[in-house]
Amino acid sequence: MRQNMTLILAVLFCSTSTLAANDWPHWRGPEQNGISRETGIVDTFDLETMDNVKWVSKIGGRGTPIVLNGKVYLNCRTSENTGIDEELLRVQEQVICWDAETGKELWTDRFNVFGTDIPVERVGWAHMVGDPETGYVYVHSVSGILRCYTGDGKVVWEISLSEELGKMSGYGGRTQTPIIDEDRLILSSMAVSWGQFKGPAPLHYYWAFDKKTGELRWMKAPGGKPRDTNYSVPVVAVVDGVRMLIGGNSDGGVYAMNARTGDKIWGHMMSKRGLNTTPAIADGKVFMSHGEDNIDNNRFGRVECLDAKTGKSIWKVYDVKAGYTAILYKDGMAFVVADTGDMHCYDGETGKELWKCNLGTVGKGSPVWVDGKIIATEVDGNIHICAPTREGCKQICRVQMKATSGKGFDEIYGSPAISNGNVYVASRDRLVCFGGKEKAKSAPVVKMPTEKTAGDKVPSIQLW
């Protein structure tokens, strides 16, 4: 009887969580895991000949664009001096909306940056998020403004998190990315105790807001004393019938919480400093990494696999500094882009390193999977399209973007977004859309999340 009831609840849950097949409303895609179900995506493009390039905007940013209802959204800084301070070249922050097929700019909302310790390079740090149900899009500004827009750019509601909830700015403006789960917008940040929320301060808090009105539903702090700033993006998954919110914390631990109430389920300490990476959750496991001091030895860096139900460690690999990117998990393989620009592939069951290859010098963009291929970015302007197997990784295409002004290369900090046969990549100097002349096959309608989402040392090898 209990099993039948669980099945019924699962069916009801999935029926209310269906996402549009080809939208990319979350920086890790419609299922929060970096995986696209589309097929027929082009695997080569050229910015010099414009082969397979649909459009290029002269405006770029640090974050990952999102795509919702035929529109592309990006939070970024303005490119010109606003005249506020000629010496510091103070800029504004902006949200820009483009037509996804043509690149035509549809609307822009500009607003001031009022945090005095925020350098220009960190304006537009957090990724935006969209809600397929309402069509709303949301931004967490570098100054701590949480704002909700309609698809046409009208402000529905906004909250000054510092003034209303005691939010503390991350070091130099490092800000967290919001996510949408059911009827909630969830965001985390370090904050002092505030109003009705009395307790030790500061702590790393998670806030859940009504996505339609901005009303605060709950505010919880699962961890201990913060040891660093944090920008880990939590992921929602149903584990053993429980809807969990799992993410890295400023105290160096990874925590699972009840996504509907904020109640802590389990915690697992990994580092002596804050965790900034985003986990992958699949096959009943949580895959997490960091690039700082380990909690249990004097070595640096770690990739670890945890039991998603209990938080207990299954396997761990030390000496891999992977402190920025989200882990990609597909077909029993965990792909990790390290700070050094190397991409490692591990067996998901045992932690055995299957191979590693070099993408460049600095890895901060998270890889995505589409149509049997990985698209990965690297800070020095590199975009790689490759075909991975358990035996190795074959390069299909590599494009390195040059700076649009001055010498050197462009910089990429975000991840690719995939929608309706197109791939969107934001760099410091531009936003690129590439795709074939004919649309790729649509992805099947997905239901997210579901209960199941889809070592030994090896020598370093150069695979391309």
Side-chain angles (χ1 to χ4, degrees), residues 141 198 295:
S141 82
K198 300 295 186 182
I295 193 70

Side-chain angles (χ1 to χ4, degrees), residues 240-262:
D240 196 34
V242 179
R243 194 177 190 89
M244 293 189 186
L245 176 76
I246 302 175
N249 196 274
S250 293
D251 69 351
V254 55
Y255 292 92
M257 308 165 64
N258 185 304
R260 290 171 175 156
T261 65

Side-chain angles (χ1 to χ4, degrees), residues 10 14 23 34 41 50 62 82 87 103 113 139 191 208 240 296-297 309 315 325 334 364 385 388 435:
C14 290
D23 283 335
I41 302 293
M50 297 298 285
R62 292 189 64 105
T82 62
E87 293 183 0
V113 176
V139 64
D240 196 34
D296 52 359
N297 57 45
K309 183 179 178 180
W315 57 259
T325 66
K364 292 190 177 180
I385 303 177

Side-chain angles (χ1 to χ4, degrees), residues 84-343:
I84 298 174
D85 188 323
E86 292 292 336
E87 293 183 0
L88 295 179
L89 296 178
R90 297 288 289 179
V91 299
Q92 289 181 298
E93 191 167 2
Q94 61 184 344
V95 170
I96 303 182
C97 173
W98 295 269
D99 182 276
E101 280 297 317
T102 67
K104 178 182 178 182
E105 190 174 313
L106 301 178
W107 58 265
T108 302
D109 184 31
R110 296 185 174 190
F111 38 93
N112 290 333
V113 176
F114 53 83
T116 57
D117 66 340
I118 298 170
V120 168
E121 291 77 12
R122 293 203 176 111
V123 175
W125 182 283
H127 315 293
M128 295 183 66
V129 69
D131 176 36
E133 180 190 358
T134 61
Y136 293 166
V137 294
Y138 305 81
V139 64
H140 179 203
S141 82
V142 75
S143 301
I145 299 297
L146 181 62
R147 183 175 292 148
C148 171
Y149 298 93
T150 66
D152 296 326
K154 297 180 180 178
V155 176
V156 180
W157 56 262
E158 72 171 37
I159 298 170
S160 177
L161 297 170
S162 298
E163 294 178 308
E164 298 183 39
L165 292 171
K167 175 187 182 295
M168 298 173 62
S169 173
Y171 172 71
R174 294 173 179 169
T175 48
Q176 286 86 349
T177 294
I179 68 168
I180 294 292
D181 180 49
E182 297 182 316
D183 59 351
R184 301 173 298 278
L185 180 143
I186 299 175
L187 177 67
S188 76
S189 177
M190 284 198 299
V192 297
S193 59
W194 201 256
Q196 60 179 306
F197 303 100
K198 300 295 186 182
L203 288 173
H204 183 163
Y205 286 93
Y206 289 79
W207 299 301
F209 303 94
D210 184 297
K211 68 181 182 182
K212 295 180 180 179
T213 66
E215 178 185 359
L216 184 65
R217 295 282 189 83
W218 53 258
M219 178 178 178
K220 297 291 180 69
K225 178 181 178 181
R227 298 179 179 273
D228 201 355
T229 56
N230 163 279
Y231 45 92
S232 175
V233 185
V235 176
V236 173
V238 176
V239 179
D240 196 34
V242 179
R243 194 177 190 89
M244 293 189 186
L245 176 76
I246 302 175
N249 196 274
S250 293
D251 69 351
V254 55
Y255 292 92
M257 308 165 64
N258 185 304
R260 290 171 175 156
T261 65
D263 294 334
K264 177 180 171 182
I265 298 173
W266 55 256
H268 177 80
M269 297 301 296
M270 290 181 63
S271 175
K272 295 178 182 178
R273 299 190 65 182
L275 300 183
N276 292 314
T277 61
T278 293
I281 308 171
D283 295 342
K285 302 179 184 66
V286 177
F287 300 88
M288 193 70 175
S289 67
H290 72 77
E292 304 292 346
D293 307 74
N294 283 299
I295 193 70
D296 52 359
N297 57 45
N298 60 1
R299 297 155 76 177
F300 286 84
R302 179 163 163 177
V303 180
E304 189 162 9
C305 173
L306 309 175
D307 184 296
K309 183 179 178 180
T310 65
K312 293 182 178 179
S313 181
I314 298 174
W315 57 259
K316 65 188 74 169
V317 177
Y318 293 111
D319 302 320
V320 179
K321 288 176 61 62
Y324 300 106
T325 66
I327 293 178
L328 172 66
Y329 182 88
K330 186 72 169 66
D331 297 339
M333 295 175 285
F335 302 93
V336 181
V337 175
D339 305 355
T340 56
D342 292 325
M343 181 163 64

